[in-house]
Amino acid sequence: VQVVESGGGLVQAGGSLRLSCAASGPTDSIYDMGWFRQAPGKEREFVAGITWNSVNLYYSDSVKGRFTISRENDKNIMYLQMNSLKLEDTAVYYCAVEPPPRAPQWSGTSAADYGYWGQGTQVTVSS
């Protein structure tokens, strides 16, 4: 499975960015997908997640109301619309995916839920 993020960059506080993620694999399966981020000196943290059919969306408290996760129907393409960006949103953002079948303990909010990761895209918010 290959995972590729795009859309990072430099933006002023209060501004917006949209990240994209595309995943491809050996079958036509549709994946559960999520976004994580890691700031310098900090652990990787969950940002947002979306199930394969878009029925369930998950957000961390720190981004709820500002970020919106979405995906294209029946495709492994996902987006993260980030509005009202803050300095503390500066991080490398990673796309993560998990092909079916879903494990019983899957929550959508843990790094352990996802088996395949992209290389990350840098988001820098300046004052």
Side-chain angles (χ1 to χ4, degrees), residues 35-100:
W35 290 100
F36 291 75
R37 67 186 182 186
Q38 187 166 19
K42 295 188 176 181
E43 294 187 353
R44 190 171 298 189
E45 65 173 356
F46 168 76
V47 175
I50 186 167
T51 53
W52 66 274
N53 54 5
S54 301
V55 169
N56 296 107
L57 309 180
Y58 310 93
Y59 293 98
S60 68
D61 288 341
S62 62
V63 307
K64 198 173 295 182
R66 300 188 297 122
F67 291 10
T68 302
I69 190 170
S70 63
R71 67 183 300 160
E72 295 192 15
N73 291 336
D74 299 323
K75 294 182 180 180
N76 292 315
I77 299 174
M78 174 180 65
Y79 305 101
L80 186 68
Q81 178 66 43
M82 305 185 293
N83 298 330
S84 302
L85 282 162
K86 303 177 181 180
L87 296 179
E88 52 263 42
D89 293 319
T90 295
V92 177
Y93 283 70
Y94 296 91
C95 174
V97 305
E98 180 65 7

Side-chain angles (χ1 to χ4, degrees), residues 5-25:
E5 308 97 335
S6 61
L10 175 64
V11 63
Q12 285 191 323
S16 299
L17 274 178
R18 189 174 85 151
L19 305 183
S20 300
C21 172
S24 60

Side-chain angles (χ1 to χ4, degrees), residues 19-33:
L19 305 183
S20 300
C21 172
S24 60
T27 71
D28 293 332
S29 299
I30 304 301
Y31 307 149
D32 293 321
M33 303 179 77

